[in-house]
Amino acid sequence: MSKAFVKMFVTVPAAPMTRGIDGVTFENPLQSLLDELDKLSTQSVGVIGDYDNVSFTFAKGRSRYRTIPGSDAHPTAGKIGELHSEDEPVVVFTAPKDQLDTVIATIRDHHPYEMPASTCSSWCESRAMGWLNLTC
């Protein structure tokens, strides 16, 4: 039986930012996240077969959001009640399903947003087919 993996998609601001909730500054948010994912390679994060630090970064997308007035949010960028948009690359990588809690905690600790946007889907490895997007 093959080990269960997840594929993560994480958006990261392109510009330097200071996290609103605690004042932590990220000069290069994308590189900060990639550096932390590198450290998790010992736990098979970003490891496929005989390769580590495996990820794909989409060059640029445009995110948008509005902080809801009256909420407890501390926006890193934008103002409460106003629509905000900015350029954000997307980082894609794999991780063992049993490491998902560690990966999510790492993303939260090393990302400028108080609530980083990410998507996760189940994957499994097949020696004959490579990686398959299936429920394993």
Side-chain angles (χ1 to χ4, degrees):
M1 182 142 157
S2 64
K3 187 172 184 174
F5 283 80
V6 294
K7 189 154 209 169
M8 298 287 301
F9 294 75
V10 182
T11 60
V12 184
M17 295 197 163
T18 299
R19 191 163 45 205
I21 197 163
D22 60 10
V24 173
T25 298
F26 296 85
E27 294 299 327
N28 185 336
L30 175 60
Q31 193 58 53
S32 293
L33 181 61
L34 292 174
D35 290 347
E36 293 307 313
L37 293 176
D38 174 42
K39 292 175 187 173
L40 291 177
S41 66
T42 60
Q43 298 169 13
S44 296
V45 174
V47 174
I48 297 177
D50 294 332
Y51 299 87
D52 67 8
N53 284 283
V54 178
S55 67
F56 182 80
T57 303
F58 293 87
K60 185 168 58 170
R62 190 94 181 141
S63 71
R64 63 181 233 143
Y65 57 87
R66 181 177 77 98
T67 305
I68 300 170
S71 68
D72 291 331
H74 302 277
T76 297
K79 296 181 180 171
I80 294 175
E82 293 181 13
L83 189 62
H84 176 77
S85 68
E86 65 186 271
D87 292 339
E88 291 187 350
V90 177
V91 179
V92 182
F93 59 94
T94 60
K97 200 175 224 175
D98 62 5
Q99 293 296 318
L100 189 55
D101 288 343
T102 299
V103 170
I104 290 170
T106 298
I107 292 168
R108 282 186 188 238
D109 289 347
H110 300 280
H111 193 290
Y113 292 163
E114 103 185 88
M115 306 254 338
S118 60
T119 303
C120 177
S121 62
S122 292
W123 284 68
C124 64
E125 184 178 15
S126 164
R127 291 286 174 202
M129 298 291 292
W131 286 87
L132 303 172
N133 188 5
L134 303 169
T135 301
C136 302

